[in-house]
């Protein structure tokens, strides 16, 4: 009988000795250069963390390469960040420069710290997801090939900028709380395979799965019907009934969202808001998307005050000016008509022309 | 051009950002599954659509989750990905590894899978991408030999994750990694055997900077904070000013509650602790001079989630302050009360936030035995439609 319920390896067995000795004793940190953090303990100990970019989808060969580097400079320890960066934790300060030199020689990008763009949090896309409108890894690669100077610190921004990519409106990739988010969308009614539905779908739960009441039973076909004036293509029904197909390569596309954040610093956490309702899904390089993201980054970068996150900047200048200065058209698509919609309507004469 | 004949994907090997295509090709040298993944994804890039079938429940003995079944919709053309299931492997808290452990993991995956993985998935797991139904059990057995268990999937407690916390951060008000590991071990059954209306995510961040995105990405967010006064080292403040920090523009006027005053003549930074809402801004600006307070614990937020199905939510304050000391009994008991109440009252595929919205926060609080407090709302109600029960009428509004 196989073991079960034994849980993950204990973190204590994974820590570099210097981390274990100074656990809970860290006093402050500095950022001596882009991608490098130095943490100082009350014991006087110092640990240097060198952060590098990862494509997140990696081969075991890649992992072994990391292990070789970590053996050489970090006594056999390595960690990852919540944004998929690699972190080499160096206990011996004399090894920092040689590590940086080896990483540079091997074309690792060191960065992702401070006022810039860290790695993109993203979803599986065509690599492994059944409901992916697009390929998240390819979008990430395309966007970051264009913007990596903001990762490596060659160019800086007013504040940190967190980008996320999700390949459908489920937004598995933190898109609802990111400074800039790219989200795959549907734009037309799902197709129903009535014959299959009559065999495999539980009608009641399929009807109940719809948040807008757009689904009704079709007793004649032992299937369901979807009303085109209520359906907003969330795809929840498709997760309950496999005979419903939300995907349509002809009309699916991408949308861009802005202004979300999770930190409580200064302003409260905010949900991301719709900036661009539709862009074509255009692999392998998605030029429309990379251009739109670059425009957003550059306009914010040039206009925000020091330390002002994307959403804080919009909060100060107002959405009307945001659309103006980014050159993005404001349309009826931007006006919420889902749950809690009225909370987003303007109730004051405080606005700009 | 190389032997793979994938002209579209090859374009994604150009450029400075590390390429996932290169990674798939490296795996494809030794794995037929990775080779056919490469070919199928090239096909997706050509016809702009995914080629995975929906459905397919597979797993390992004793568990109801931890494996995501995946089948190619084009198995005749890409037989290597006919079955391409992924294993969610529970990561060590804080994403720390020894190279020995990572190499052992690679050895197992080279033997049983596609040689491709995510470090890490959005929820936090190590995702081992791509193996066959036949290989699932032996792969899990081999993983268990090296001490890796599966994570959560389906209507279960999902794999917990956290920021680096006390391991390497001076802002940590709670031991996020220990909380994460302890809860993970305590709730192994709920993690491995789905028995809830839908998923339940728990994340922990050591301070209100919330680097784990707990408030937006978990049904229960555990966020460290303090409730006394932040610590000021006046000499340290002076150093930042001497080094060019514009105290008024970058700190004082950005405090959301005007709790700070800067006496430039005396070189003293003063704080009115009653006004501080521990937002972290001033501490972030001057980490060497300002420190989190001494009376530390966590705020618990309930209901953070992505849009499916009634819209995205950021978690709501449920408990403004709870001490966080092992074995975290109060926290564990509260989690059980929440999940019991939700299991009892939730509809299929209804997240906790949607249950709270449908039933009302007051009813939810009563259901889990928590007293209302003003920190839970940004403002009291603005409508007069208040529920009263007959027994309350005798009390003239007193509780």
């Amino acid at each position: 009988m196989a073991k079960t319920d034994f849980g993950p390896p204990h973190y204590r067995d994974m820590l570099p000795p210097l981390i274990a000795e100074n656990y809970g004793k860290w006093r402050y940190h500095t950022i001596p250069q882009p991608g490098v953090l130095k943490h100082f303990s009350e014991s006087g100990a110092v640990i240097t963390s060198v952060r590098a970019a990862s494509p997140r989808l990696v081969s075991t060969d890649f992992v072994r390469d990391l292990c070789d580097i970590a053996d050489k400079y970090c006594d056999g320890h390595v960690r990852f960040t919540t944004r998929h960066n690699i972190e080499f934790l160096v206990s011996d300060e004399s090894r920092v420069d040689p590590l940086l030199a080896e990483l540079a020689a091997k074309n690792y990008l060191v960065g992702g710290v401070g006022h810039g763009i860290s790695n993109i949090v993203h979803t599986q896309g065509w690599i492994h997801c059944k409901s992916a409108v697009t390929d998240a890894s390819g979008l990430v690669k395309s966007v970051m090939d264009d913007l990596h100077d903001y990762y490596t610190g060659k160019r800086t921004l007013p504040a940190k900028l967190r980008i996320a990519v999700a390949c459908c409106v489920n937004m598995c990739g933190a898109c609802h709380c990111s400074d800039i988010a790219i989200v795959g969308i549907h734009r037309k009614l799902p197709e129903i395979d009535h014959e299959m539905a009559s065999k495999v779908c539980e009608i009641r739960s399929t009807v109940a799965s719809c948040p807008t009441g757009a689904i009704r039973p079709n007793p004649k076909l032992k299937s369901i019907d979807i009303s085109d004036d209520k359906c907003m293509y969330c795809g929840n029904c498709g997760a309950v009934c496999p005979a419903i197909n939300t995907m349509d390569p002809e009309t699916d596309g991408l949308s861009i969202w802005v202004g979300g954040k999770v930190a409580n610093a200064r302003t409260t956490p905010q949900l991301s808001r719709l900036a661009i309702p539709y862009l074509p899904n255009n692999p392998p390089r998605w030029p429309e998307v990379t251009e739109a993201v670059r425009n957003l980054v550059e306009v914010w970068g040039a206009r925000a005050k020091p330390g002002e996150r994307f959403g804080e900047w919009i909060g100060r200048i107002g959405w009307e000016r945001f659309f103006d200065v980014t050159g993005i058209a404001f349309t009826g698509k931007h006006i919420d008509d889902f749950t809690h919609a009225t909370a987003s309507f303007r109730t004051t004469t405080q606005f700009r022309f | 051009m190389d032997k793979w004949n994938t002209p579209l994907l090859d374009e994604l090997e150009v450029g400075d950002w590390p390429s996932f295509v290169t990674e798939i090709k490296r795996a494809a040298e030794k794995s037929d599954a990775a080779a056919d993944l490469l070919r199928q994804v090239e096909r997706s890039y050509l016809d702009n659509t995914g080629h995975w079938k929906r459905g397919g429940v597979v797993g390992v003995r004793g568990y109801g989750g931890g494996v995501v079944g995946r089948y190619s919709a084009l198995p005749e053309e890409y037989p290597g990905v006919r079955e391409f299931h992924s294993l969610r492997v529970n990561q060590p808290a804080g994403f720390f590894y020894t190279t020995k452990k990572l190499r052992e993991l690679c050895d197992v995956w080279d033997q049983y899978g596609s040689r491709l993985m995510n470090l890490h998935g959005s929820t936090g797991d190590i995702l081992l991408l791509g193996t066959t139904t036949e290989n699932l059990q032996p792969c899990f057995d081999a993983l268990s030999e090296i001490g890796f268990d599966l994570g959560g999937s389906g209507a279960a407690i999902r794999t917990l994750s956290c920021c680096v916390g006390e391991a390497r951060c001076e802002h940590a008000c709670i031991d996020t990694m220990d909380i994460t590991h302890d809860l993970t071990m305590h709730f192994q059954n709920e993690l491995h055997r789905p028995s809830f209306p839908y998923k339940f995510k728990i994340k922990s961040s050591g301070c209100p900077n919330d680097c784990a995105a707990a408030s937006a990405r978990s049904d229960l967010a555990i966020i460290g904070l303090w409730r006394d006064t932040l610590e000021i080292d006046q000499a340290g403040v002076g150093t930042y000013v001497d080094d060019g920090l514009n105290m008024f523009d970058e700190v004082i006027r950005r405090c959301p509650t005007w709790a700070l005053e800067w006496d430039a003549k005396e070189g003293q930074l003063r704080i009115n602790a009653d006004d501080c809402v521990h937002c972290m801004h001033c501490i972030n600006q001057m980490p060497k001079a300002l420190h989190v307070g001494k009376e530390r614990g966590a705020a618990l937020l309930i209901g953070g989630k992505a849009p499916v199905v009634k819209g995205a939510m950021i978690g709501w304050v449920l408990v403004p302050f709870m001490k966080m000391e092992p074995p975290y009994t109060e926290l564990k008991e509260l989690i059980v009360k929440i999940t019991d109440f939700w299991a009892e009252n939730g509809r299929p595929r209804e997240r906790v936030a949607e249950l709270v919205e449908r039933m009302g926060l007051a009813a939810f609080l009563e259901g889990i035995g928590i007293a209302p407090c003003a920190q839970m709302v940004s403002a009291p109600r603005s409508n007069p439609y208040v529920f009263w029960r007959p027994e309350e009428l005798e009390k003239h509004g007193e509780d």
Side-chain angles (χ1 to χ4, degrees):
Chain A
M1 184 67 191
K3 287 194 293 182
T4 59
D5 300 302
F6 50 93
H10 201 297
Y11 64 87
R12 238 182 267 134
D13 302 328
M14 299 292 124
L15 300 178
L18 194 83
I19 291 277
E21 287 155 23
N22 293 280
Y23 199 99
K25 295 180 190 163
W26 300 102
R27 195 59 184 158
Y28 69 95
H29 74 274
T30 60
I31 304 173
Q33 67 185 85
V36 179
L37 289 155
K38 261 173 103 165
H39 282 82
F40 298 79
S41 165
E42 61 188 31
S43 73
V46 182
I47 194 145
T48 307
S49 308
V50 175
R51 194 174 283 180
S54 157
R56 190 182 86 127
L57 173 61
V58 297
S59 64
T60 50
D61 289 344
F62 180 94
V63 179
R64 288 195 178 89
D65 290 347
L66 297 184
C67 289
D68 290 343
I69 297 170
D71 283 346
K72 205 161 152 189
Y73 302 98
C74 312
D75 304 310
H77 292 87
V78 63
R79 81 173 284 266
F80 299 84
T81 72
T82 51
R83 301 192 73 86
H84 319 309
N85 293 298
I86 307 151
E87 270 186 357
F88 295 102
L89 305 166
V90 190
S91 304
D92 174 356
E93 265 191 277
S94 71
R95 293 186 188 169
V96 174
D97 287 337
L99 167 62
L100 287 167
E102 178 158 349
L103 291 174
K106 291 183 168 167
N107 296 321
Y108 287 87
L109 294 179
V110 170
V113 175
H115 287 185
I117 301 177
S118 187
N119 207 343
I120 295 183
V121 167
H122 65 101
T123 53
Q124 295 291 8
W126 290 331
I127 301 289
H128 203 260
C129 184
K130 67 198 184 302
S131 61
V133 165
T134 187
D135 188 42
S137 303
L139 273 163
V140 169
K141 167 80 174 143
S142 300
V143 170
M144 288 311 286
D145 273 341
D146 192 37
L147 297 177
H148 62 76
D149 280 356
Y150 295 110
Y151 181 88
T152 56
K154 276 188 192 149
R155 281 186 285 177
T156 58
L157 290 166
K160 63 167 86 163
L161 185 89
R162 297 288 177 257
I163 305 181
V165 174
C167 27
C168 81
V169 291
N170 286 352
M171 295 200 197
C172 294
C175 287
H176 65 297
C177 54
S178 297
D179 295 284
I180 298 178
I182 304 160
V183 179
I185 54 158
H186 308 294
R187 296 189 297 158
K188 77 185 243 300
L189 218 55
E191 283 169 17
I192 306 161
D193 180 338
H194 288 294
E195 194 184 324
M196 184 182 175
S198 71
K199 288 180 190 136
V200 303
C201 288
E202 202 203 20
I203 303 300
R204 231 188 73 180
S205 61
T206 308
V207 170
S209 73
C210 181
T212 62
I215 303 180
R216 262 180 286 180
N218 179 334
K220 208 167 118 196
L221 297 174
K222 292 184 180 154
S223 178
I224 50 111
D225 287 321
I226 304 178
S227 151
D228 64 357
D229 52 355
K230 284 188 185 161
C231 174
M232 49 26 170
Y233 335 118
C234 74
N236 198 43
C237 55
V240 176
C241 166
I244 301 173
N245 175 29
T246 338
M247 314 282 283
D248 180 46
E250 295 298 315
T251 56
D252 289 343
L254 298 166
S255 57
I256 309 278
W257 303 68
V258 296
K261 82 194 251 284
V262 290
N264 287 274
R266 302 171 302 280
T267 50
T268 59
Q270 296 291 329
L271 294 173
S272 318
R273 305 281 169 171
L274 181 63
I276 304 177
Y278 171 81
L279 290 170
N281 181 31
N282 196 1
R285 277 292 179 178
W286 291 273
E288 298 85 356
V289 173
T290 55
E291 194 188 314
V293 172
R294 168 170 282 277
N295 176 48
L296 288 166
V297 172
E298 286 179 349
V299 172
W300 165 72
R303 290 169 179 262
K305 300 211 182 276
E308 199 172 46
R309 293 278 294 263
F310 205 103
E312 295 175 303
W313 168 64
I314 298 172
R316 180 169 58 79
I317 66 166
W319 283 99
E320 57 275 35
R321 187 157 288 169
F322 164 80
F323 283 101
D324 195 26
V325 298
T326 56
I328 297 168
F330 182 84
T331 68
K333 304 270 186 286
H334 291 89
I335 300 176
D336 197 351
D337 48 18
F338 192 50
T339 51
H340 324 122
T342 54
S344 65
F345 300 167
R346 192 87 58 112
T347 55
T348 169
T349 54
Q350 295 182 8
F351 43 71
R352 297 169 178 87
F353 293 103
Chain B
M1 203 177 78
D2 56 30
K3 63 185 172 183
W4 303 110
N5 192 22
T6 51
L8 294 173
L9 288 178
D10 290 352
E11 289 194 40
L12 291 168
E13 291 196 276
V14 181
D16 287 346
W17 193 254
S19 170
F20 70 101
V21 175
T22 304
E23 292 307 312
I24 303 176
K25 286 184 180 176
R26 289 176 83 181
E29 289 292 338
K30 299 166 198 161
S31 159
D32 293 342
D36 270 347
L37 177 73
L38 188 70
R39 296 184 187 107
Q40 181 175 303
V41 173
E42 174 75 8
R43 174 75 167 268
S44 286
Y45 272 66
L46 192 66
D47 53 20
N48 240 6
T49 192
H51 292 295
W52 300 107
K53 270 196 251 182
R54 291 185 291 172
V57 177
V58 288
V60 299
R61 281 195 300 275
Y63 286 177
V67 180
V68 178
R70 193 62 76 225
Y71 298 87
S72 173
L74 305 167
E76 304 306 319
E77 288 166 79
Y78 310 109
V81 289
R82 178 184 298 275
E83 296 163 356
F84 198 71
H85 314 315
S86 66
L87 292 132
R88 292 187 178 166
V89 176
N90 200 328
Q91 82 290 1
F95 310 103
F96 281 92
Y97 297 92
T98 60
T99 53
K100 177 173 180 289
K101 199 48 82 183
L102 275 180
R103 285 199 176 93
E104 287 172 1
L105 186 69
C106 291
D107 291 344
V108 169
W109 195 231
D110 284 352
Q111 188 178 350
Y112 294 105
S114 72
R115 296 171 177 255
L116 287 167
M117 65 175 84
N118 288 140
L119 290 168
H120 295 79
S122 280
T123 299
D125 297 281
I126 304 158
L127 298 181
L128 300 180
L129 293 174
T131 190
T132 60
T133 310
E134 190 185 13
N135 270 346
L136 283 172
Q137 188 65 43
C139 184
F140 173 60
D141 293 343
L143 287 170
S144 68
E145 287 300 311
I146 59 167
F148 279 104
D149 202 345
L150 297 190
S153 68
I157 289 186
R158 296 296 185 86
T159 302
L160 288 82
S161 71
C162 60
C163 72
V164 71
E166 293 187 2
R168 201 210 49 206
C169 184
E170 67 272 20
H171 301 326
C173 297
I174 54 174
D175 189 348
T176 55
M177 282 166 46
D178 194 58
I179 292 166
T180 297
H181 188 75
D182 194 312
L183 293 182
T184 300
M185 299 310 291
H186 186 77
F187 289 110
Q188 283 287 293
N189 185 43
E190 291 78 2
L191 209 147
H192 287 134
R193 293 167 198 90
S195 57
F196 295 141
Y198 203 10
K199 64 181 85 166
F200 190 82
K201 297 190 173 192
I202 303 174
K203 289 187 196 292
S204 179
S205 285
C207 82
N209 282 333
D210 195 4
C211 290
S215 70
R217 303 191 68 190
S218 58
D219 298 272
L220 183 72
I222 304 162
I223 299 178
L225 42 63
W226 66 97
R227 62 175 178 187
D228 52 350
T229 311
L230 60 79
E231 187 191 319
I232 303 178
D233 163 14
Q234 299 292 352
V237 172
T239 308
Y240 278 104
V241 174
D242 293 345
D243 290 347
L245 179 77
N246 184 325
M247 185 60 81
F248 185 74
D249 272 357
E250 294 178 53
V251 182
I252 304 296
R253 70 186 283 181
R254 312 211 64 202
C255 172
T257 55
W258 291 83
L260 293 168
E261 277 177 58
W262 172 236
D263 183 337
K265 212 158 71 185
E266 298 289 319
Q268 294 284 306
L269 183 69
R270 298 197 186 90
I271 181 161
N272 182 348
D274 285 347
D275 286 344
C276 174
V277 289
H278 33 77
C279 85
M280 295 300 295
H281 174 74
C282 59
I283 298 178
N284 292 340
Q285 293 298 106
M286 297 183 279
K288 195 172 176 181
L290 304 188
H291 305 281
V292 298
K294 292 267 187 288
E295 197 186 343
R296 299 170 189 177
L300 307 182
L301 279 66
I302 187 87
K305 61 184 280 293
V308 167
V309 65
K310 294 209 167 152
M313 313 264 194
I314 293 168
W316 302 305
V317 173
L318 183 68
V319 177
F321 190 85
M322 185 186 275
K323 281 271 176 201
M324 283 291 144
E325 280 152 12
Y328 314 108
T329 309
E330 192 184 355
L331 175 62
K332 287 171 186 164
E333 285 173 0
L334 180 63
I335 292 170
V336 171
K337 280 185 201 156
I338 291 168
T339 51
D340 279 357
F341 183 80
W342 172 51
E344 183 98 347
N345 295 283
R347 294 172 178 162
R349 287 175 67 78
E350 186 175 55
R351 294 281 284 271
V352 170
E354 287 155 351
L355 173 74
V356 171
E357 194 172 41
R358 180 165 60 80
M359 295 188 71
L361 180 60
F364 178 73
L365 293 174
E366 197 174 306
I368 61 169
I370 285 191
C373 67
Q375 285 92 344
M376 293 173 180
V377 296
S378 54
R381 74 166 71 219
S382 58
N383 61 67
Y385 308 131
V386 180
F387 285 108
W388 296 92
R389 276 185 302 247
E391 63 271 23
E392 291 175 310
L393 303 183
E394 301 303 312
K395 292 185 180 174
H396 306 286
E398 295 159 27
D399 240 346

